[in-house]
Amino acid sequence: MTDASREHKDGAMADLEVDALGLLCPLPVLRLRKRMAPLPSGATVVLLADDPAAQIDVPHFCAEGGHEFLGVEGHAYSLRKG
């Protein structure tokens, strides 16, 4: 897990990168929630997840939590904390 080391699709640097590669549902979203908790509203996050369920889980997590889903590129899910 590396802070501020991952670019969003628009080239901006993320405030936080959460590595959940190799983890299965629901662990990627649980790890994401835990790591995002101390961040201020508006912080940008990239979640690295290769679990196929993440395609559904991450946008749902954002919608339920009031976060903005910014998109996905490969296994990198970008979001902004609400």
Side-chain angles (χ1 to χ4, degrees), residues 35-62:
R35 292 287 314 277
M36 282 180 61
L39 296 177
S41 184
T44 56
V45 179
V46 171
L47 171 69
L48 302 178
D50 53 2
D51 177 15
Q55 296 175 3
I56 297 167
D57 292 346
V58 176
H60 179 74
F61 166 76
C62 290

Side-chain angles (χ1 to χ4, degrees), residues 7-29:
E7 288 187 23
H8 291 286
K9 291 195 303 187
D10 64 3
M13 296 303 287
D15 296 309
L16 174 70
E17 178 182 282
V18 178
D19 185 349
L21 293 171
L23 300 179
L24 298 177
C25 179
L27 296 177
V29 169

